[in-house]
Amino acid sequence: MKVVIFCGGLGMRLREYADNVPKPMVPIGYRPVLWHVMKYYAHYGHKDFILCLGYRANAVKQYFFALRRMCLQRLFALQRRQRPPVVQQ
C-alpha cells in the first residue's frame, strides 16, 4: 500500500525553526521530522511513499538521495507533476 505525504507549504508557524529548511526537514533529534513519519509508517509495513513536494523541494530530494547512497536499500523514483492533456473544442 502506498502512503501519500503532503510536504508542501511555507511552514509559517515553524518560522523560527525553519528559516533555512523546509517544514518536513525540521530536525527532531538527528533526523528530520519527515524521516520519523516515514519510519513510523514503515514499522507497520508501509514501504512505498509518495511525497507531494512544494516549497524548497530540492532540500528534501537531496536528503533522501544522500540517504539512499548511504543505505543502498531502495531506489527512489522521482517524477515531475503530470499536466492534464489540453482538450480542444
Side-chain angles (χ1 to χ4, degrees):
M1 179 179 288
K2 295 184 182 195
V3 177
V4 178
I5 301 175
F6 295 101
C7 302
L10 299 176
M12 298 301 286
R13 288 173 281 183
L14 292 172
R15 207 171 314 152
E16 60 191 47
Y17 300 107
D19 279 343
N20 54 358
V21 295
K23 182 174 39 180
M25 299 305 290
V26 172
I28 296 178
Y30 296 107
R31 304 279 186 179
V33 68
L34 180 59
W35 183 87
H36 290 286
V37 170
M38 291 171 74
K39 182 78 169 171
Y40 182 78
Y41 278 103
H43 175 74
Y44 290 101
H46 303 287
K47 303 289 183 184
D48 296 322
F49 296 94
I50 298 172
L51 303 178
C52 299
L53 302 175
Y55 179 68
R56 294 189 181 172
N58 285 334
V60 178
K61 291 177 189 177
Q62 289 173 355
Y63 177 81
F64 283 103
F65 276 137
L67 187 66
R68 179 187 69 165
R69 284 187 205 117
M70 289 185 322
C71 297
L72 295 176
Q73 292 177 4
R74 293 186 62 84
L75 294 176
F76 295 94
L78 294 178
Q79 182 177 357
R80 292 191 179 267
R81 178 176 48 173
Q82 297 290 325
R83 299 195 186 271
V86 177
V87 178
Q88 296 181 1
Q89 296 178 0

